[in-house]
PDB file of all heavy atoms in Angstrom:
ATOM      1  N   GLY K   1      22.321  79.041  63.028  1.00 46.00           N
ATOM      2  CA  GLY K   1      22.316  77.760  62.329  1.00 46.00           C
ATOM      3  C   GLY K   1      21.356  76.762  62.840  1.00 46.00           C
ATOM      4  O   GLY K   1      20.583  76.080  62.010  1.00 46.00           O
ATOM      5  N   CYS K   2      21.124  76.651  64.107  1.00 45.00           N
ATOM      6  CA  CYS K   2      20.060  75.871  64.676  1.00 45.00           C
ATOM      7  C   CYS K   2      18.738  76.217  64.182  1.00 45.00           C
ATOM      8  O   CYS K   2      17.912  75.384  63.852  1.00 45.00           O
ATOM      9  CB  CYS K   2      20.317  75.804  66.230  1.00 45.00           C
ATOM     10  SG  CYS K   2      21.768  74.975  66.865  1.00 45.00           S
ATOM     11  N   SER K   3      18.595  77.532  64.337  1.00 43.00           N
ATOM     12  CA  SER K   3      17.238  77.978  63.866  1.00 43.00           C
ATOM     13  C   SER K   3      16.951  77.726  62.313  1.00 43.00           C
ATOM     14  O   SER K   3      15.941  77.173  62.089  1.00 43.00           O
ATOM     15  CB  SER K   3      17.095  79.553  64.109  1.00 43.00           C
ATOM     16  OG  SER K   3      17.170  79.763  65.422  1.00 43.00           O
ATOM     17  N   GLY K   4      17.957  77.983  61.534  1.00 43.00           N
ATOM     18  CA  GLY K   4      17.759  77.633  60.155  1.00 43.00           C
ATOM     19  C   GLY K   4      17.630  76.219  59.910  1.00 43.00           C
ATOM     20  O   GLY K   4      16.821  75.787  59.112  1.00 43.00           O
ATOM     21  N   GLY K   5      18.386  75.460  60.743  1.00 41.00           N
ATOM     22  CA  GLY K   5      18.297  73.896  60.419  1.00 41.00           C
ATOM     23  C   GLY K   5      16.972  73.419  60.991  1.00 41.00           C
ATOM     24  O   GLY K   5      16.333  72.678  60.409  1.00 41.00           O
ATOM     25  N   ALA K   6      16.520  73.999  62.050  1.00 41.00           N
ATOM     26  CA  ALA K   6      15.184  73.619  62.716  1.00 41.00           C
ATOM     27  C   ALA K   6      14.166  74.051  61.639  1.00 41.00           C
ATOM     28  O   ALA K   6      13.174  73.224  61.380  1.00 41.00           O
ATOM     29  CB  ALA K   6      14.994  74.246  63.963  1.00 41.00           C
ATOM     30  N   GLY K   7      14.303  75.272  61.097  1.00 41.00           N
ATOM     31  CA  GLY K   7      13.283  75.756  60.088  1.00 41.00           C
ATOM     32  C   GLY K   7      13.310  74.831  58.918  1.00 41.00           C
ATOM     33  O   GLY K   7      12.273  74.439  58.361  1.00 41.00           O
ATOM     34  N   PHE K   8      14.507  74.505  58.437  1.00 39.00           N
ATOM     35  CA  PHE K   8      14.616  73.528  57.221  1.00 39.00           C
ATOM     36  C   PHE K   8      14.093  72.179  57.494  1.00 39.00           C
ATOM     37  O   PHE K   8      13.307  71.579  56.855  1.00 39.00           O
ATOM     38  CB  PHE K   8      16.053  73.423  56.877  1.00 39.00           C
ATOM     39  CG  PHE K   8      16.245  72.545  55.700  1.00 39.00           C
ATOM     40  CD1 PHE K   8      15.985  72.979  54.397  1.00 39.00           C
ATOM     41  CD2 PHE K   8      16.780  71.248  55.817  1.00 39.00           C
ATOM     42  CE1 PHE K   8      16.099  72.155  53.496  1.00 39.00           C
ATOM     43  CE2 PHE K   8      16.890  70.366  54.787  1.00 39.00           C
ATOM     44  CZ  PHE K   8      16.594  70.879  53.557  1.00 39.00           C
ATOM     45  N   GLY K   9      14.402  71.690  58.816  1.00 40.00           N
ATOM     46  CA  GLY K   9      13.746  70.378  59.217  1.00 40.00           C
ATOM     47  C   GLY K   9      12.363  70.519  59.312  1.00 40.00           C
ATOM     48  O   GLY K   9      11.552  69.596  58.842  1.00 40.00           O
ATOM     49  N   PHE K  10      11.762  71.484  59.904  1.00 37.00           N
ATOM     50  CA  PHE K  10      10.320  71.539  59.984  1.00 37.00           C
ATOM     51  C   PHE K  10       9.579  71.648  58.632  1.00 37.00           C
ATOM     52  O   PHE K  10       8.654  71.050  58.459  1.00 37.00           O
ATOM     53  CB  PHE K  10       9.969  72.888  60.785  1.00 37.00           C
ATOM     54  CG  PHE K  10       8.593  73.123  60.942  1.00 37.00           C
ATOM     55  CD1 PHE K  10       7.794  72.416  61.782  1.00 37.00           C
ATOM     56  CD2 PHE K  10       7.885  74.133  60.282  1.00 37.00           C
ATOM     57  CE1 PHE K  10       6.411  72.611  61.946  1.00 37.00           C
ATOM     58  CE2 PHE K  10       6.552  74.336  60.314  1.00 37.00           C
ATOM     59  CZ  PHE K  10       5.831  73.598  61.180  1.00 37.00           C
ATOM     60  N   GLY K  11      10.326  72.522  57.731  1.00 41.00           N
ATOM     61  CA  GLY K  11       9.750  72.702  56.457  1.00 41.00           C
ATOM     62  C   GLY K  11       9.783  71.413  55.717  1.00 41.00           C
ATOM     63  O   GLY K  11       8.865  70.946  54.991  1.00 41.00           O
ATOM     64  N   ARG K  12      10.881  70.606  55.864  1.00 44.00           N
ATOM     65  CA  ARG K  12      10.796  69.256  55.278  1.00 44.00           C
ATOM     66  C   ARG K  12       9.858  68.345  55.827  1.00 44.00           C
ATOM     67  O   ARG K  12       9.221  67.529  55.131  1.00 44.00           O
ATOM     68  CB  ARG K  12      12.285  68.715  55.494  1.00 44.00           C
ATOM     69  CG  ARG K  12      12.544  67.419  54.789  1.00 44.00           C
ATOM     70  CD  ARG K  12      13.973  67.013  54.839  1.00 44.00           C
ATOM     71  NE  ARG K  12      14.453  66.834  56.203  1.00 44.00           N
ATOM     72  CZ  ARG K  12      15.700  66.847  56.676  1.00 44.00           C
ATOM     73  NH1 ARG K  12      16.727  66.784  55.637  1.00 44.00           N
ATOM     74  NH2 ARG K  12      16.060  66.738  57.820  1.00 44.00           N
ATOM     75  N   THR K  13       9.599  68.431  57.182  1.00 42.00           N
ATOM     76  CA  THR K  13       8.529  67.630  57.816  1.00 42.00           C
ATOM     77  C   THR K  13       7.172  67.921  57.196  1.00 42.00           C
ATOM     78  O   THR K  13       6.445  67.042  56.797  1.00 42.00           O
ATOM     79  CB  THR K  13       8.641  67.629  59.268  1.00 42.00           C
ATOM     80  OG1 THR K  13       9.927  67.430  59.723  1.00 42.00           O
ATOM     81  CG2 THR K  13       7.532  66.791  59.902  1.00 42.00           C
ATOM     82  N   VAL K  14       6.917  69.254  57.200  1.00 41.00           N
ATOM     83  CA  VAL K  14       5.716  69.703  56.617  1.00 41.00           C
ATOM     84  C   VAL K  14       5.543  69.213  55.118  1.00 41.00           C
ATOM     85  O   VAL K  14       4.404  68.722  54.711  1.00 41.00           O
ATOM     86  CB  VAL K  14       5.470  71.230  56.755  1.00 41.00           C
ATOM     87  CG1 VAL K  14       4.261  71.713  55.976  1.00 41.00           C
ATOM     88  CG2 VAL K  14       5.431  71.562  58.246  1.00 41.00           C
ATOM     89  N   SER K  15       6.625  69.426  54.324  1.00 43.00           N
ATOM     90  CA  SER K  15       6.432  68.992  52.982  1.00 43.00           C
ATOM     91  C   SER K  15       6.310  67.522  52.937  1.00 43.00           C
ATOM     92  O   SER K  15       5.522  67.019  51.964  1.00 43.00           O
ATOM     93  CB  SER K  15       7.791  69.423  52.266  1.00 43.00           C
ATOM     94  OG  SER K  15       7.836  68.969  50.981  1.00 43.00           O
ATOM     95  N   SER K  16       6.931  66.754  53.664  1.00 45.00           N
ATOM     96  CA  SER K  16       6.684  65.324  53.708  1.00 45.00           C
ATOM     97  C   SER K  16       5.267  64.912  54.073  1.00 45.00           C
ATOM     98  O   SER K  16       4.675  64.049  53.500  1.00 45.00           O
ATOM     99  CB  SER K  16       7.716  64.535  54.613  1.00 45.00           C
ATOM    100  OG  SER K  16       9.088  64.843  54.216  1.00 45.00           O
ATOM    101  N   ASP K  17       4.763  65.669  55.064  1.00 47.00           N
ATOM    102  CA  ASP K  17       3.333  65.350  55.549  1.00 47.00           C
ATOM    103  C   ASP K  17       2.406  65.715  54.332  1.00 47.00           C
ATOM    104  O   ASP K  17       1.481  64.899  54.093  1.00 47.00           O
ATOM    105  CB  ASP K  17       3.031  66.117  56.690  1.00 47.00           C
ATOM    106  CG  ASP K  17       3.788  65.653  57.857  1.00 47.00           C
ATOM    107  OD1 ASP K  17       4.315  64.506  57.856  1.00 47.00           O
ATOM    108  OD2 ASP K  17       3.930  66.401  58.921  1.00 47.00           O
ATOM    109  N   LEU K  18       2.583  66.830  53.668  1.00 44.00           N
ATOM    110  CA  LEU K  18       1.724  67.227  52.615  1.00 44.00           C
ATOM    111  C   LEU K  18       1.774  66.219  51.450  1.00 44.00           C
ATOM    112  O   LEU K  18       0.852  65.900  50.873  1.00 44.00           O
ATOM    113  CB  LEU K  18       2.056  68.590  52.031  1.00 44.00           C
ATOM    114  CG  LEU K  18       1.746  69.801  53.137  1.00 44.00           C
ATOM    115  CD1 LEU K  18       2.185  70.988  52.580  1.00 44.00           C
ATOM    116  CD2 LEU K  18       0.270  69.870  53.341  1.00 44.00           C
ATOM    117  N   THR K  19       2.988  65.764  51.193  1.00 49.00           N
ATOM    118  CA  THR K  19       3.208  64.754  50.186  1.00 49.00           C
ATOM    119  C   THR K  19       2.422  63.528  50.433  1.00 49.00           C
ATOM    120  O   THR K  19       1.749  62.925  49.606  1.00 49.00           O
ATOM    121  CB  THR K  19       4.628  64.460  49.880  1.00 49.00           C
ATOM    122  OG1 THR K  19       5.276  65.663  49.547  1.00 49.00           O
ATOM    123  CG2 THR K  19       4.766  63.425  48.745  1.00 49.00           C
ATOM    124  N   GLY K  20       2.476  63.071  51.699  1.00 51.00           N
ATOM    125  CA  GLY K  20       1.738  61.853  52.085  1.00 51.00           C
ATOM    126  C   GLY K  20       0.234  62.016  51.971  1.00 51.00           C
ATOM    127  O   GLY K  20      -0.528  61.163  51.512  1.00 51.00           O
ATOM    128  N   VAL K  21      -0.245  63.319  52.418  1.00 44.00           N
ATOM    129  CA  VAL K  21      -1.700  63.574  52.190  1.00 44.00           C
ATOM    130  C   VAL K  21      -2.108  63.564  50.758  1.00 44.00           C
ATOM    131  O   VAL K  21      -3.127  62.955  50.431  1.00 44.00           O
ATOM    132  CB  VAL K  21      -2.004  64.904  52.946  1.00 44.00           C
ATOM    133  CG1 VAL K  21      -3.435  65.396  52.544  1.00 44.00           C
ATOM    134  CG2 VAL K  21      -1.825  64.867  54.418  1.00 44.00           C
ATOM    135  N   VAL K  22      -1.363  64.175  49.900  1.00 44.00           N
ATOM    136  CA  VAL K  22      -1.572  64.166  48.436  1.00 44.00           C
ATOM    137  C   VAL K  22      -1.652  62.733  47.923  1.00 44.00           C
ATOM    138  O   VAL K  22      -2.479  62.378  47.143  1.00 44.00           O
ATOM    139  CB  VAL K  22      -0.638  65.095  47.705  1.00 44.00           C
ATOM    140  CG1 VAL K  22      -0.820  64.900  46.214  1.00 44.00           C
ATOM    141  CG2 VAL K  22      -0.821  66.509  48.119  1.00 44.00           C
ATOM    142  N   GLN K  23      -0.558  61.958  48.383  1.00 59.00           N
ATOM    143  CA  GLN K  23      -0.560  60.617  47.894  1.00 59.00           C
ATOM    144  C   GLN K  23      -1.736  59.831  48.356  1.00 59.00           C
ATOM    145  O   GLN K  23      -2.382  59.012  47.589  1.00 59.00           O
ATOM    146  CB  GLN K  23       0.787  59.930  48.248  1.00 59.00           C
ATOM    147  CG  GLN K  23       1.982  60.469  47.595  1.00 59.00           C
ATOM    148  CD  GLN K  23       3.216  59.891  48.147  1.00 59.00           C
ATOM    149  OE1 GLN K  23       3.243  59.153  49.092  1.00 59.00           O
ATOM    150  NE2 GLN K  23       4.384  60.115  47.414  1.00 59.00           N
ATOM    151  N   GLU K  24      -2.073  60.021  49.637  1.00 55.00           N
ATOM    152  CA  GLU K  24      -3.273  59.276  50.246  1.00 55.00           C
ATOM    153  C   GLU K  24      -4.522  59.724  49.489  1.00 55.00           C
ATOM    154  O   GLU K  24      -5.433  58.936  49.114  1.00 55.00           O
ATOM    155  CB  GLU K  24      -3.399  59.627  51.597  1.00 55.00           C
ATOM    156  CG  GLU K  24      -4.608  58.814  52.393  1.00 55.00           C
ATOM    157  CD  GLU K  24      -4.531  59.087  53.904  1.00 55.00           C
ATOM    158  OE1 GLU K  24      -3.656  59.791  54.384  1.00 55.00           O
ATOM    159  OE2 GLU K  24      -5.454  58.515  54.569  1.00 55.00           O
ATOM    160  N   SER K  25      -4.613  61.097  49.239  1.00 53.00           N
ATOM    161  CA  SER K  25      -5.855  61.498  48.367  1.00 53.00           C
ATOM    162  C   SER K  25      -5.946  60.903  47.152  1.00 53.00           C
ATOM    163  O   SER K  25      -7.032  60.570  46.682  1.00 53.00           O
ATOM    164  CB  SER K  25      -5.744  63.050  48.360  1.00 53.00           C
ATOM    165  OG  SER K  25      -6.855  63.453  47.596  1.00 53.00           O
TER     166      SER K  25
END
């Protein structure tokens, strides 16, 4: 569960970062 949660949280962070980059672009 921690690994899945961490993976989900990391994925969400990466997704948020990409969204910000796209919006900035």
Side-chain angles (χ1 to χ4, degrees):
C2 288
S3 298
F8 178 77
F10 176 75
R12 182 172 59 193
T13 302
V14 172
S15 177
S16 300
D17 293 339
L18 289 176
T19 302
V21 171
V22 171
Q23 291 177 351
E24 184 178 357
S25 176

